[in-house]
């Protein structure tokens, strides 16, 4: 990725979800049209919802076991049907984007008293008397948003990059460095982490939300790891100016990489949709001692697809016996376990850095990395 004045050139080497070369001409044409069009944020999987028949709920608060179940129970009690939803949790903070309809009409809720009641009860669920931060609940008509981008903004606003004492442990985090490149008036940001889908999107969105511009960058991945390098400046045209600012960039990039990559066991559910299904599923998870660290719910043509990443209530790996009990309650044909019932892999502490622009710039700061 490189830019000069008003021109830029980006080159991406991409595969499908299975790591194979894309040969479908329909998909290739769709990519070309999306990139050539200003309104390029189009996603057939429901990431963007523009229907006026829904209400948009945005929630931010302190995460805890059972929170998702309680939110879903409130919506069900108030006869609200969840059409689509995505929930992230990171560093003891949780954010959700939920689209609902009135169960009786199948359309958006217009009664201001009911909307006010929904907002009040959800606020009470999110309120944590042990947390000085106030939860945020908003209900509005649908707007043109990208759900993942919006969740990044909400988590950033909730300062999830600040790790609470309870979350500070010996776990390995993404390796992020931020250094000055004085000869070119850039700040160089490098990150090494486990590779996964949407990693580039998550990192660049966070830099943008922090008011930084990426002038040059590169990403290289192998079967497990990803190496990212960006040359950035603040929107005012200057590189980072203090050690405190550089440390904040490190913390925010680490948070951006971690938010979507919640550690835990992935559960996938696909079944006929009906009112109260989400409340029923999340109640079963809660009653069996599981903590939903993230969730993605979508409904279409009478079918519902749910994806959860779960741990036990202490944040530890799930006991296989628990999954067996849940299978019995939900039915063997409804629930699938993705991956193994074991501790999720972590990337190695000792990782090599890839500096992809060493030939493009001659930065004195590169001497700190032992580069000649």
């Amino acid at each position: 990725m490189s830019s000069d004045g008003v021109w830029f050139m980006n080159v991406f080497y991409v595969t499908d979800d299975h790591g194979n070369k894309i040969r479908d001409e329909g998909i290739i044409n769709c990519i070309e049209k999306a990139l050539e069009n200003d309104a390029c944020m189009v996603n057939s999987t429901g990431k963007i919802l523009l229907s006026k028949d829904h209400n948009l709920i945005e929630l931010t608060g302190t995460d805890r076991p059972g929170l998702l179940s309680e939110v879903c129970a409130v919506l069900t009690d108030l006869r609200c049907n969840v059409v689509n939803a995505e929930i992230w949790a990171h560093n003891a903070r949780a954010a959700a984007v939920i689209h609902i309809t009135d169960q009786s009409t199948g359309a958006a809720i217009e009664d201001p008293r009911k909307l006010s009641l929904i907002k009040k009860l959800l606020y009470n669920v999110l309120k944590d008397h042990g947390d000085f931060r106030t939860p945020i609940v908003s209900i509005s008509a649908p707007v043109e948003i990208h759900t993942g981008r919006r969740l990044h903004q909400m988590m950033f606003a909730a300062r999830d990059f600040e790790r609470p004492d309870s979350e500070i442990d010996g776990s390995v985090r993404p390796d992020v460095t931020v250094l000055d490149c004085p000869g070119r008036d850039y700040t160089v940001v490098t990150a090494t982490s486990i590779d996964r889908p949407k990693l580039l999107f998550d990192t660049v969105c966070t830099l943008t939300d922090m008011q930084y511009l990426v002038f040059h960058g590169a990403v290289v991945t192998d079967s497990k790891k990803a190496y990212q390098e960006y040359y950035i400046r603040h929107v005012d045209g200057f590189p980072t100016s203090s050690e405190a600012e550089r440390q904040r960039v490190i913390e925010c990039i680490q948070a951006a990489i971690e938010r979507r990559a919640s550690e835990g066991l992935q559960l996938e559910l696909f079944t006929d949709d009906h009112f109260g299904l989400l409340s029923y599923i999340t109640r079963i998870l809660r009653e069996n001692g599981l903590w939903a660290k993230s969730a993605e719910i979508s409904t279409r043509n009478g079918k519902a697809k749910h994806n959860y990443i779960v741990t036990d209530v202490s944040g530890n790996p799930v006991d296989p016996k628990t999954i067996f009990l849940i299978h019995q309650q939900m039915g063997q044909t409804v629930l699938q376990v993705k991956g193994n019932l074991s501790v999720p892999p972590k990337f190695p502490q000792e990782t090599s850095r890839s500096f992809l622009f060493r030939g493009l710039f001659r930065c004195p700061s590169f001497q700190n990395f032992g580069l000649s």
Side-chain angles (χ1 to χ4, degrees):
M1 298 172 284
S2 188
S3 64
D4 183 10
V6 298
W7 292 94
F8 71 90
M9 187 177 85
N10 297 335
V11 180
F12 300 100
Y13 293 83
V14 301
T15 65
D16 63 17
D17 287 340
H18 303 291
N20 300 317
K21 184 174 181 177
I22 299 173
R23 301 183 184 278
D24 187 322
E25 290 295 330
I27 295 176
I28 294 174
N29 290 336
C30 183
I31 294 173
E32 290 177 347
K33 290 179 180 179
L35 293 176
E36 291 171 356
N37 193 331
D38 289 338
C40 61
M41 294 173 62
V42 178
N43 194 312
S44 61
T45 61
K47 292 295 182 182
I48 297 177
L49 199 60
L50 299 178
S51 172
K52 297 180 180 179
D53 294 331
H54 304 144
N55 298 96
L56 172 65
I57 300 178
E58 295 184 347
L59 309 173
T60 306
T62 302
D63 188 32
R64 54 181 167 79
L67 177 62
L68 178 58
S69 176
E70 293 178 32
V71 168
C72 295
V74 166
L75 294 175
T76 300
D77 289 344
L78 294 173
R79 312 301 293 175
C80 299
N81 186 52
V82 176
V83 180
N84 291 281
E86 191 163 351
I87 297 94
W88 289 2
H90 178 251
N91 279 354
R93 305 299 288 165
V97 174
I98 305 171
H99 294 88
I100 63 169
T101 60
D102 190 313
Q103 192 272 332
S104 60
T105 65
I109 300 169
E110 298 181 355
D111 184 350
R113 291 176 298 179
K114 183 171 183 178
L115 292 173
S116 178
L117 179 60
I118 294 171
K119 186 173 181 178
K120 177 182 177 181
L121 294 181
L122 289 176
Y123 181 90
N124 290 337
V125 167
L126 290 168
K127 186 167 56 178
D128 185 343
H129 296 289
D131 192 340
F132 68 91
R133 290 170 290 196
T134 302
I136 298 174
V137 180
S138 69
I139 304 178
S140 63
V143 293
E144 186 171 327
I145 63 169
H146 187 287
T147 304
R149 178 68 188 279
R150 182 61 186 139
L151 285 166
H152 273 300
Q153 294 171 336
M154 293 166 67
M155 295 293 272
F156 177 72
R159 303 181 69 86
D160 75 316
F161 51 86
E162 297 176 342
R163 301 186 79 191
D165 293 338
S166 60
E167 293 286 329
I168 298 177
D169 52 30
S171 61
V172 180
R173 306 193 70 197
D175 181 14
V176 180
T177 62
V178 178
L179 295 167
D180 287 332
C181 183
R184 294 283 182 167
D185 289 329
Y186 290 121
T187 295
V188 186
V189 179
T190 64
T192 306
S193 67
I194 292 177
D195 187 31
R196 60 167 176 79
K198 303 179 183 177
L199 179 62
L200 173 62
F201 173 87
D202 294 339
T203 306
V204 173
C205 277
T206 296
L207 288 171
T208 302
D209 291 338
M210 296 180 70
Q211 302 296 300
Y212 292 104
L213 302 176
V214 176
F215 287 85
H216 305 281
V219 178
V220 171
T221 69
D222 57 24
S223 59
K224 294 182 180 180
K225 291 182 293 186
Y227 310 92
Q228 302 180 73
E229 181 175 272
Y230 303 100
Y231 287 74
I232 66 171
R233 291 178 188 151
H234 197 267
V235 290
D236 59 12
F238 294 98
T240 55
S241 58
S242 67
E243 183 58 34
E245 184 182 359
R246 286 187 284 272
Q247 184 60 36
R248 188 165 186 254
V249 172
I250 291 174
E251 293 173 348
C252 291
I253 295 300
Q254 287 177 327
I257 294 172
E258 293 172 339
R259 284 174 193 144
R260 200 190 295 267
S262 298
E263 290 189 353
L265 184 69
Q266 184 178 351
L267 304 178
E268 184 178 278
L269 180 145
F270 185 77
T271 187
D272 293 332
D273 188 30
H274 61 80
F275 177 70
L277 174 65
L278 181 58
S279 179
Y280 170 71
I281 297 300
T282 54
R283 177 173 60 82
I284 288 179
L285 296 179
R286 173 174 56 84
E287 291 177 348
N288 283 278
L290 296 187
W291 186 354
K293 309 297 285 188
S294 70
E296 187 173 349
I297 291 91
S298 60
T299 63
R300 188 174 183 181
N301 298 329
K303 299 291 183 179
K305 183 178 180 180
H306 296 196
N307 280 286
Y308 303 94
I309 295 180
V310 298
T311 65
D312 69 10
V313 292
S314 299
N316 298 318
V318 177
D319 188 330
K321 295 179 181 178
T322 302
I323 299 302
F324 175 75
L325 293 174
I326 292 176
H327 264 296
Q328 289 185 315
Q329 292 174 272
M330 293 185 183
Q332 293 285 345
T333 59
V334 173
L335 184 69
Q336 290 185 343
V337 178
K338 299 290 186 178
N340 299 319
L341 282 168
S342 60
V343 180
K346 294 178 180 288
F347 56 90
Q349 283 184 308
E350 295 184 2
T351 53
S352 60
R353 297 181 178 91
S354 175
F355 297 96
L356 305 169
F357 281 94
R358 67 180 72 177
L360 180 61
F361 299 122
R362 296 184 180 274
C363 282
S365 59
F366 278 168
Q367 296 173 1
N368 296 330
F369 297 113
L371 298 178
S372 56

